[in-house]
Amino acid sequence: MAESEIKLLGAWPSPFVMRARIALNIKSIDYEFHQEKLGSKSQLLLESNPVYKKIPVLIHDQKPICESLIIVQYVDEAWSSGPSILPSDPYDRAIARFWAAYIDDKWFPSLSGLAKAQGEEAKKAAMDQVREGFLLLEEAFGKCSKGKDFFGGDRIGYLDIALGCFLGWLRVSEKMNGVKLLDAAKTPGLAGWADKFCGDDAVKDVMPETDKLTEFAKILFQAKANAPPPAN
């Protein structure tokens, strides 16, 4: 398939864009990566995702697909000849989707809340929520992996992508706050999984370096601090 037929609108620091990039890598799909600039939205993005106006957007044969986990499922189904991303068993597939929804709806807001927390008590509360989430995910990892390296078993799957895309920002949070949130002593399964995930061929070239992502985070936080308050 010609490379020009597949485009991904995104930005390198975005964990949600990384989900799409990992899925495409798993399937060995070549694509054009159109990077959106911080603080602006291209005309192509606005036309491709008029509802949310957000990245990522996958454009396949001039048809846009939006929302990161929907894109991952689409890639898995559209290129079924490659390695499977979603579990083949209906129950396992449902469980993977359940935990992916938990990550997006509960766990990641705790992690992002750490950056917004004002004062030591608020930061401690956000850290506790992140760690409590990891305890739940450690239990889920034990059940989903069935003793293997990944949530998806022998190779990276849907739930690995859903959680693993946030590891770069997790490391940034740890570095900027001088703490360890993913503790090998309390969650050994997840700690070992994180190392294997980041070293996987489908991931290692799209996972941002911690120092580079930290510098971007500082620019992002400064831009938000300087932004005018929203109009009433």
Side-chain angles (χ1 to χ4, degrees):
M1 182 170 288
E3 183 176 328
S4 60
E5 294 179 6
I6 306 168
K7 298 182 176 71
L8 180 64
L9 312 185
W12 68 266
S14 168
F16 301 102
V17 173
M18 192 189 305
R19 287 174 170 174
R21 297 181 77 186
I22 293 170
L24 289 164
N25 286 347
I26 287 173
K27 297 288 186 173
S28 299
I29 303 299
D30 292 326
Y31 61 96
E32 292 181 18
F33 188 36
H34 291 248
Q35 293 241 36
E36 295 287 320
K37 295 180 181 178
L38 177 64
S40 65
K41 300 179 189 291
S42 70
Q43 189 61 33
L44 182 58
L45 173 60
L46 296 174
E47 291 172 354
S48 302
N49 190 359
V51 177
Y52 291 111
K53 303 178 177 65
K54 291 182 178 180
I55 53 175
V57 179
L58 180 71
I59 302 175
H60 181 204
D61 289 338
Q62 301 181 346
K63 295 178 288 187
I65 302 98
C66 307
E67 296 294 292
S68 63
L69 290 178
I70 292 174
I71 292 172
V72 171
Q73 294 179 58
Y74 176 85
V75 169
D76 193 32
E77 294 168 1
W79 289 279
S80 57
S81 59
S84 295
I85 296 174
L86 280 147
S88 58
D89 180 80
Y91 178 77
D92 291 343
R93 199 156 58 238
I95 293 301
R97 287 179 171 139
F98 170 85
W99 283 110
Y102 167 79
I103 289 162
D104 280 0
D105 296 342
K106 296 290 186 181
W107 182 82
F108 179 64
S110 299
L111 182 63
S112 59
L114 179 56
K116 304 169 188 173
Q118 299 293 322
E120 291 304 313
E121 287 190 11
K123 285 187 176 183
K124 182 181 182 301
M127 290 179 198
D128 288 345
Q129 288 182 338
V130 172
R131 291 180 176 125
E132 287 169 9
F134 273 142
L135 291 175
L136 291 174
L137 290 165
E138 173 81 5
E139 184 177 351
F141 176 74
K143 293 178 179 177
C144 294
S145 68
K146 298 170 184 174
K148 297 181 179 179
D149 287 343
F150 300 103
F151 283 95
D154 290 320
R155 62 170 68 97
I156 286 175
Y158 181 77
L159 190 48
D160 297 284
I161 296 172
L163 179 59
C165 70
F166 295 118
L167 289 173
W169 282 100
L170 174 72
R171 291 168 177 169
V172 169
S173 296
E174 291 178 331
K175 182 174 181 178
M176 295 183 75
N177 291 281
V179 296
K180 193 69 177 173
L181 296 170
L182 183 55
D183 187 345
K186 295 181 179 178
T187 51
L190 279 184
W193 161 83
D195 290 339
K196 294 183 180 74
F197 179 86
C198 292
D200 191 89
D201 287 342
V203 177
K204 59 186 180 183
D205 290 337
V206 299
M207 178 67 70
E209 297 175 359
T210 303
D211 289 345
K212 183 180 179 182
L213 195 56
T214 300
E215 289 305 310
F216 174 82
K218 291 176 181 177
I219 294 170
L220 185 65
F221 296 152
Q222 189 61 47
K224 289 183 177 181
N226 294 338
N232 293 329

